[in-house]
Amino acid sequence: MNLRFAGKRITGLLTVLPAYERLFVDEMANYNFSPARSLKLKAVMGYDRRRIVEGPVCVSDLAVAGFEHLFARGQLAPSDIGALVVVTQSPDYLMPGTASVIHGRLGLGHDVFCLDINQGCAGFVIGLMQAFMLLEQPAITKVALVNGDVLSRKVSPRDRNSYPLIGDGAAITIVERDPAAGVIHASLKMDGSRGGALTIPAGGLRQPCSAETAAMHEDAEGNVRAADHLVMDGSAVFNFVMTEVPALVDALLRDTGTSAEAVDAFLFHQPNRFMLHKLAEKLGIPYEKMPSNVVEHYGNSSGVTIPVATASNFAERLRRETLTVCFGGFGVGLTWSALLMPLGPLEFCEMIDFPSQGADHG
């Protein structure tokens, strides 16, 4: 599916990351893997450290901290928000939606449109698409898009496939109407028949959590996890990304008459450094145009990795100039997407810690 938007732009971007940091080398003993092989994995994949929540911290906690930071600095007012879109795979509750939880905690007005979207790795791009569509309504002049996940709470510490890379975090992206904004092009594809490649088998109504789903089992690769935990078929996901994503991005560039050289940055979801380097090679893009440093510093926080890659690598430039960027998201669903747009100058583009200690990394 190809989509086109006009008269909309991103005006601000804030990421909120847990202050608590875990090092890969401190967790190697958890895995049925020799230290030498673990260190080789670290070097190839780009693992080093990641940010995860402590205790029962939820997505709404990270998001509310972010909004309160923006309110305190005068960068956003509660009355500005016409719609609140939350994209998460780890909601606070089965019901109500996390957007409603955040709405209530912030004391927003009754006319604010609240919506939850259950998406992950492609969730930033999908959230932007939804925000752009909401701005077609005259009653909505500003959309606050929240991407957030705390999936470290749903991954087995003894799962070498997933645990070393999973991080937590949230991002708030402000999207507004602007008649002078350039055209935005997007492409989105989904294949639910392959959804089992990334799943949490238990916890929904199909298979509620129980003593049986909490029982730990070892797989053929030596990973130990329960049905309550995230399960990733790494080979299937890698093959999916290498097959589908380059074709989608190439088609988007071709259909819009845009050369790869004309794109300043390819800001893609961050599964690991190895996969991103392979993607860059497939697309014929220099590594420096496709940042791949998020997992080694912060971890893979699902759809939040795109805002993190943006703020950690381009904050200063985006506060003062306009870049042509290609956002790309791919993963759970299975879903793959790309969005080509001008980005900047932004009113704010920064990273803060949770709990906030006044840290500013952008």
PDB file of all heavy atoms in Angstrom, residues 23-35 38 157-158:
ATOM      1  N   LEU A  23      24.981  -4.372  31.287  1.00  0.00           N
ATOM      2  CA  LEU A  23      26.076  -4.668  30.373  1.00  0.00           C
ATOM      3  C   LEU A  23      25.989  -6.112  29.889  1.00  0.00           C
ATOM      4  O   LEU A  23      25.712  -7.035  30.676  1.00  0.00           O
ATOM      5  CB  LEU A  23      27.420  -4.450  31.059  1.00  0.00           C
ATOM      6  CG  LEU A  23      27.716  -3.051  31.596  1.00  0.00           C
ATOM      7  CD1 LEU A  23      29.093  -3.011  32.243  1.00  0.00           C
ATOM      8  CD2 LEU A  23      27.623  -2.028  30.484  1.00  0.00           C
ATOM      9  N   PHE A  24      26.277  -6.319  28.626  1.00  0.00           N
ATOM     10  CA  PHE A  24      26.250  -7.659  28.046  1.00  0.00           C
ATOM     11  C   PHE A  24      27.211  -8.598  28.773  1.00  0.00           C
ATOM     12  O   PHE A  24      26.878  -9.750  29.069  1.00  0.00           O
ATOM     13  CB  PHE A  24      26.605  -7.590  26.559  1.00  0.00           C
ATOM     14  CG  PHE A  24      26.671  -8.934  25.890  1.00  0.00           C
ATOM     15  CD1 PHE A  24      25.523  -9.566  25.451  1.00  0.00           C
ATOM     16  CD2 PHE A  24      27.891  -9.579  25.704  1.00  0.00           C
ATOM     17  CE1 PHE A  24      25.583 -10.816  24.838  1.00  0.00           C
ATOM     18  CE2 PHE A  24      27.965 -10.816  25.098  1.00  0.00           C
ATOM     19  CZ  PHE A  24      26.800 -11.441  24.658  1.00  0.00           C
ATOM     20  N   VAL A  25      28.405  -8.118  29.079  1.00  0.00           N
ATOM     21  CA  VAL A  25      29.414  -8.996  29.692  1.00  0.00           C
ATOM     22  C   VAL A  25      28.991  -9.459  31.085  1.00  0.00           C
ATOM     23  O   VAL A  25      29.455 -10.508  31.554  1.00  0.00           O
ATOM     24  CB  VAL A  25      30.788  -8.296  29.765  1.00  0.00           C
ATOM     25  CG1 VAL A  25      31.344  -8.060  28.371  1.00  0.00           C
ATOM     26  CG2 VAL A  25      30.708  -6.991  30.538  1.00  0.00           C
ATOM     27  N   ASP A  26      28.118  -8.707  31.740  1.00  0.00           N
ATOM     28  CA  ASP A  26      27.656  -9.102  33.066  1.00  0.00           C
ATOM     29  C   ASP A  26      26.578 -10.176  33.003  1.00  0.00           C
ATOM     30  O   ASP A  26      26.229 -10.760  34.039  1.00  0.00           O
ATOM     31  CB  ASP A  26      27.103  -7.894  33.821  1.00  0.00           C
ATOM     32  CG  ASP A  26      28.186  -6.886  34.172  1.00  0.00           C
ATOM     33  OD1 ASP A  26      29.365  -7.282  34.224  1.00  0.00           O
ATOM     34  OD2 ASP A  26      27.851  -5.704  34.380  1.00  0.00           O
ATOM     35  N   GLU A  27      26.036 -10.432  31.808  1.00  0.00           N
ATOM     36  CA  GLU A  27      24.931 -11.378  31.668  1.00  0.00           C
ATOM     37  C   GLU A  27      25.311 -12.636  30.902  1.00  0.00           C
ATOM     38  O   GLU A  27      24.479 -13.534  30.733  1.00  0.00           O
ATOM     39  CB  GLU A  27      23.755 -10.693  30.962  1.00  0.00           C
ATOM     40  CG  GLU A  27      23.223  -9.498  31.732  1.00  0.00           C
ATOM     41  CD  GLU A  27      22.180  -8.703  30.955  1.00  0.00           C
ATOM     42  OE1 GLU A  27      22.202  -8.752  29.707  1.00  0.00           O
ATOM     43  OE2 GLU A  27      21.351  -8.053  31.595  1.00  0.00           O
ATOM     44  N   MET A  28      26.555 -12.726  30.461  1.00  0.00           N
ATOM     45  CA  MET A  28      26.947 -13.864  29.617  1.00  0.00           C
ATOM     46  C   MET A  28      26.770 -15.201  30.327  1.00  0.00           C
ATOM     47  O   MET A  28      26.495 -16.214  29.682  1.00  0.00           O
ATOM     48  CB  MET A  28      28.404 -13.701  29.167  1.00  0.00           C
ATOM     49  CG  MET A  28      28.634 -12.545  28.220  1.00  0.00           C
ATOM     50  SD  MET A  28      30.277 -12.571  27.428  1.00  0.00           S
ATOM     51  CE  MET A  28      31.380 -12.738  28.833  1.00  0.00           C
ATOM     52  N   ALA A  29      26.918 -15.225  31.639  1.00  0.00           N
ATOM     53  CA  ALA A  29      26.805 -16.488  32.374  1.00  0.00           C
ATOM     54  C   ALA A  29      25.388 -17.047  32.354  1.00  0.00           C
ATOM     55  O   ALA A  29      25.172 -18.225  32.679  1.00  0.00           O
ATOM     56  CB  ALA A  29      27.265 -16.295  33.823  1.00  0.00           C
ATOM     57  N   ASN A  30      24.405 -16.210  31.967  1.00  0.00           N
ATOM     58  CA  ASN A  30      23.020 -16.682  31.908  1.00  0.00           C
ATOM     59  C   ASN A  30      22.781 -17.656  30.757  1.00  0.00           C
ATOM     60  O   ASN A  30      21.805 -18.407  30.772  1.00  0.00           O
ATOM     61  CB  ASN A  30      22.059 -15.505  31.703  1.00  0.00           C
ATOM     62  CG  ASN A  30      22.016 -14.574  32.889  1.00  0.00           C
ATOM     63  OD1 ASN A  30      22.367 -14.948  33.990  1.00  0.00           O
ATOM     64  ND2 ASN A  30      21.570 -13.345  32.658  1.00  0.00           N
ATOM     65  N   TYR A  31      23.654 -17.621  29.746  1.00  0.00           N
ATOM     66  CA  TYR A  31      23.385 -18.347  28.511  1.00  0.00           C
ATOM     67  C   TYR A  31      24.187 -19.638  28.442  1.00  0.00           C
ATOM     68  O   TYR A  31      25.307 -19.724  28.950  1.00  0.00           O
ATOM     69  CB  TYR A  31      23.718 -17.464  27.298  1.00  0.00           C
ATOM     70  CG  TYR A  31      23.182 -16.063  27.416  1.00  0.00           C
ATOM     71  CD1 TYR A  31      24.012 -14.953  27.279  1.00  0.00           C
ATOM     72  CD2 TYR A  31      21.835 -15.838  27.698  1.00  0.00           C
ATOM     73  CE1 TYR A  31      23.515 -13.659  27.398  1.00  0.00           C
ATOM     74  CE2 TYR A  31      21.329 -14.549  27.829  1.00  0.00           C
ATOM     75  CZ  TYR A  31      22.184 -13.473  27.686  1.00  0.00           C
ATOM     76  OH  TYR A  31      21.692 -12.205  27.824  1.00  0.00           O
ATOM     77  N   ASN A  32      23.610 -20.642  27.779  1.00  0.00           N
ATOM     78  CA  ASN A  32      24.304 -21.907  27.556  1.00  0.00           C
ATOM     79  C   ASN A  32      25.256 -21.751  26.376  1.00  0.00           C
ATOM     80  O   ASN A  32      25.061 -22.310  25.294  1.00  0.00           O
ATOM     81  CB  ASN A  32      23.297 -23.032  27.278  1.00  0.00           C
ATOM     82  CG  ASN A  32      22.451 -23.355  28.481  1.00  0.00           C
ATOM     83  OD1 ASN A  32      22.858 -23.101  29.611  1.00  0.00           O
ATOM     84  ND2 ASN A  32      21.274 -23.923  28.260  1.00  0.00           N
ATOM     85  N   PHE A  33      26.287 -20.947  26.601  1.00  0.00           N
ATOM     86  CA  PHE A  33      27.181 -20.543  25.528  1.00  0.00           C
ATOM     87  C   PHE A  33      28.529 -20.282  26.172  1.00  0.00           C
ATOM     88  O   PHE A  33      28.603 -19.741  27.281  1.00  0.00           O
ATOM     89  CB  PHE A  33      26.639 -19.244  24.918  1.00  0.00           C
ATOM     90  CG  PHE A  33      26.641 -19.197  23.415  1.00  0.00           C
ATOM     91  CD1 PHE A  33      26.206 -20.274  22.675  1.00  0.00           C
ATOM     92  CD2 PHE A  33      27.056 -18.051  22.754  1.00  0.00           C
ATOM     93  CE1 PHE A  33      26.182 -20.207  21.286  1.00  0.00           C
ATOM     94  CE2 PHE A  33      27.032 -17.972  21.373  1.00  0.00           C
ATOM     95  CZ  PHE A  33      26.596 -19.050  20.637  1.00  0.00           C
ATOM     96  N   SER A  34      29.616 -20.648  25.521  1.00  0.00           N
ATOM     97  CA  SER A  34      30.938 -20.384  26.099  1.00  0.00           C
ATOM     98  C   SER A  34      31.219 -18.887  26.088  1.00  0.00           C
ATOM     99  O   SER A  34      30.704 -18.153  25.233  1.00  0.00           O
ATOM    100  CB  SER A  34      32.016 -21.109  25.297  1.00  0.00           C
ATOM    101  OG  SER A  34      32.165 -20.498  24.029  1.00  0.00           O
ATOM    102  N   PRO A  35      32.038 -18.393  27.027  1.00  0.00           N
ATOM    103  CA  PRO A  35      32.383 -16.971  27.033  1.00  0.00           C
ATOM    104  C   PRO A  35      32.982 -16.506  25.710  1.00  0.00           C
ATOM    105  O   PRO A  35      32.708 -15.396  25.245  1.00  0.00           O
ATOM    106  CB  PRO A  35      33.392 -16.868  28.184  1.00  0.00           C
ATOM    107  CG  PRO A  35      33.031 -17.990  29.099  1.00  0.00           C
ATOM    108  CD  PRO A  35      32.581 -19.108  28.198  1.00  0.00           C
ATOM    109  N   SER A  38      30.205 -16.057  23.242  1.00  0.00           N
ATOM    110  CA  SER A  38      29.402 -14.896  23.618  1.00  0.00           C
ATOM    111  C   SER A  38      30.094 -13.599  23.216  1.00  0.00           C
ATOM    112  O   SER A  38      29.458 -12.666  22.713  1.00  0.00           O
ATOM    113  CB  SER A  38      29.129 -14.902  25.125  1.00  0.00           C
ATOM    114  OG  SER A  38      28.233 -15.936  25.475  1.00  0.00           O
ATOM    115  N   PRO A 157      15.595 -14.071  30.813  1.00  0.00           N
ATOM    116  CA  PRO A 157      17.008 -13.728  30.981  1.00  0.00           C
ATOM    117  C   PRO A 157      17.956 -14.812  30.482  1.00  0.00           C
ATOM    118  O   PRO A 157      19.159 -14.563  30.347  1.00  0.00           O
ATOM    119  CB  PRO A 157      17.153 -13.543  32.491  1.00  0.00           C
ATOM    120  CG  PRO A 157      15.771 -13.269  32.983  1.00  0.00           C
ATOM    121  CD  PRO A 157      14.873 -14.071  32.094  1.00  0.00           C
ATOM    122  N   ARG A 158      17.427 -15.992  30.181  1.00  0.00           N
ATOM    123  CA  ARG A 158      18.260 -17.089  29.702  1.00  0.00           C
ATOM    124  C   ARG A 158      18.068 -17.344  28.205  1.00  0.00           C
ATOM    125  O   ARG A 158      18.446 -18.392  27.693  1.00  0.00           O
ATOM    126  CB  ARG A 158      17.969 -18.355  30.516  1.00  0.00           C
ATOM    127  CG  ARG A 158      18.264 -18.190  32.007  1.00  0.00           C
ATOM    128  CD  ARG A 158      17.956 -19.458  32.771  1.00  0.00           C
ATOM    129  NE  ARG A 158      18.825 -20.561  32.362  1.00  0.00           N
ATOM    130  CZ  ARG A 158      18.619 -21.836  32.695  1.00  0.00           C
ATOM    131  NH1 ARG A 158      17.583 -22.154  33.457  1.00  0.00           N
ATOM    132  NH2 ARG A 158      19.441 -22.778  32.268  1.00  0.00           N
TER     133      ARG A 158
END
